Amino acid sequence: MPFGLSTKAFQVRCRMLSFSLAVLSAYAYAQDAKICETAPDQYIGNSQDHFQITKWMSRGVCVRSHSNDLACYTTLEATLKNLNELRVGEYTGAASVLALLPTIGALLGAPTTEIWRLLTVVPFGGGLAMLLSFGGAILPVRVEDYGKDLSSHKVSFPSKGAKGTKGAKTSNRQHIHDETYDELNAVVEKIKARMRQDQTQRLPKGHLLVGLLAMVVLFVGAQAAMTITEQGGVLPWWCTSRWWMHLWYGMVTVTAIAENWAQLPFKETWKLFVSDIPYDIKVRGGDSIIAKLDKPEESVTRVLQSLASLKAGTATVQGSHQYTRPRNAVLVVISVVNHGDQRIRSLLRLLSKCTSIATFVTGTALFASVQLLALPMAVMVLTLVLAAGVYGRAITGWIVQGVSKTEPLIHVIVNSTHEAQHVIAQILSLDEYGTEDMEYPDETEVRKLQVELHGHVFVKQRRVAHRTPWYLRTWGVLAKPFDLRDVDMSKMNSNAHGEVLEGTPPSQSELELGLLRKEDRQGSNVRSL
């Protein structure tokens, strides 16, 4: 050791030297600290007469102009000492006003199904509504709240474990069986009636566009107010943070979405996009999905995960190939009730609650401790954020009310995946009621139906086409039904004179080529939307 010092003594002297250097460094920063000031800092009177937003923002930027934390804190301390007592009282009151922001969820009221319906029908608009929630409750957590919706149909299948005497049990089961299939037939008949009607019911795009544009304006206004406020305000415990308010916004938004997803009363949901076919389509070959869904040992989850393995059928357009728009389309959502039997979902509920509490405490501490926050800016950001949350919820209800007139959504609620499997099989069998259906002899034309499930398009229960499922997940019922001309095999199976050769089935390579031809048109469909 140098100078004959012991190891312990040497360590003590090193610590004393480090402490002395830190003190000298702080003293040097204190001597060289600049004061970031504005005109109202020493003004005696109402500071609003001299308040300017740009100079107020420049002061906050000036305090954080140092990349060094110690220099930032030293500058902040010098700036605070330069304030008179009137400005200190104003800034303290402004921080107290801003501390009310984490309680915005109480002003938005109880959650309703409007956001869920908008999120289902037009996912883009529903996502925008969730961004305007600012930590408020978004989705209902009870199945009964979804059952009150006019578009919802609860189908309860008979339980295998019914108790009672043998005669009473048989009678009770028969009664439940009849009621169940009456409910299911009501859903099927509603879809068939929608597809068979001559009048076209389309979403009011003007109504939808006005509502979405208003929500975008509210969102941009709230984000701009937060950006201005966080540039002028400074946190005394995180001096260099320039985006502290957006940090809070990101925390409450992610936490609210995660909490509402964890408490959603449905454990599984499937979406089927049903539309009529405006062409004379003939399908030959391919595996029937009904044969797989009817197997009791096959779960619907396993079947739907293996849709791509089904042998594709061959779709042929007979007659005119001129583009024709489908008359109607409807989105059928099948939800399985969560009975609390999933441990992971229960754990996520508990975790989301803890995270929500921690986010509320952090946000309150953040806003209550902010320094140099002018009272007009606190009032402005609080007003714009509250307006975005309240009016965003009101606009969501207005959009859903207008969209509901066209009945674009049918929600079926079942108690188990087995029941969902039966409902999906019934909907995929809808196209059995084609022109041969003698139940409607007075109708001149009954179009066939196509059902899109997870991006796979089915006609006559045969998979004939595929496109990315994200197209439907993004646009919802605004998405255009798949154009079956993209997989038309009649062009491949024709002679030099353009005549279709009915007896010539396509080869496997031709079939794959036909299924892939849609990729060239899919991009143009999205752009035209």
Side-chain angles (χ1 to χ4, degrees), residues 223-248:
Q223 298 301 313
M226 290 193 294
T227 301
I228 294 174
T229 302
E230 61 194 354
Q231 299 307 307
V234 183
L235 295 179
W237 46 273
W238 194 4
C239 184
T240 57
S241 176
R242 192 180 295 269
W243 307 103
W244 49 271
M245 205 164 187
H246 275 89
L247 174 65
W248 165 81

Side-chain angles (χ1 to χ4, degrees), residues 281-359:
I281 291 289
K282 183 175 183 180
V283 179
R284 68 168 76 90
D287 295 335
S288 173
I289 188 176
I290 303 299
K292 286 186 171 293
L293 289 174
D294 286 342
K295 293 180 179 180
E297 67 276 5
E298 290 284 351
S299 67
V300 63
T301 304
R302 189 182 304 114
V303 172
L304 296 183
Q305 287 177 349
S306 59
L307 289 178
S309 64
L310 289 175
K311 183 180 178 181
T314 305
T316 304
V317 177
Q318 298 177 336
S320 175
H321 287 68
Q322 181 67 31
Y323 171 73
T324 307
R325 187 169 57 179
R327 288 194 189 123
N328 291 289
V330 64
L331 184 65
V332 183
V333 179
I334 303 172
S335 301
V336 181
V337 177
N338 182 14
H339 298 287
D341 52 351
Q342 289 182 320
R343 294 183 178 180
I344 297 180
R345 185 65 69 90
S346 301
L347 182 61
L348 286 177
R349 288 197 198 98
L350 179 60
L351 183 62
S352 64
K353 275 295 182 184
C354 296
T355 306
S356 180
I357 295 173
T359 302

Side-chain angles (χ1 to χ4, degrees), residues 21-76:
L21 291 175
V23 172
L24 291 175
S25 177
Y27 179 77
Y29 277 119
Q31 293 297 320
D32 297 336
K34 61 180 179 180
I35 299 177
C36 302
E37 58 184 355
T38 58
D41 289 351
Q42 295 294 330
Y43 180 71
I44 304 298
N46 189 353
S47 65
Q48 314 310 317
D49 298 336
H50 300 273
F51 179 76
Q52 295 182 5
I53 294 181
T54 55
K55 293 184 177 180
W56 175 78
M57 292 176 60
S58 299
R59 183 179 61 181
V61 175
C62 173
V63 172
R64 287 187 293 261
S65 60
H66 303 281
S67 58
N68 185 285
D69 285 344
L70 182 58
C72 182
Y73 285 117
T74 305
T75 304
L76 175 61

Side-chain angles (χ1 to χ4, degrees), residues 205-223:
K205 292 186 178 180
H207 181 94
L208 185 62
L209 182 61
V210 171
L212 293 179
L213 183 60
M215 294 174 69
V216 170
V217 171
L218 291 174
F219 178 77
V220 172
Q223 298 301 313

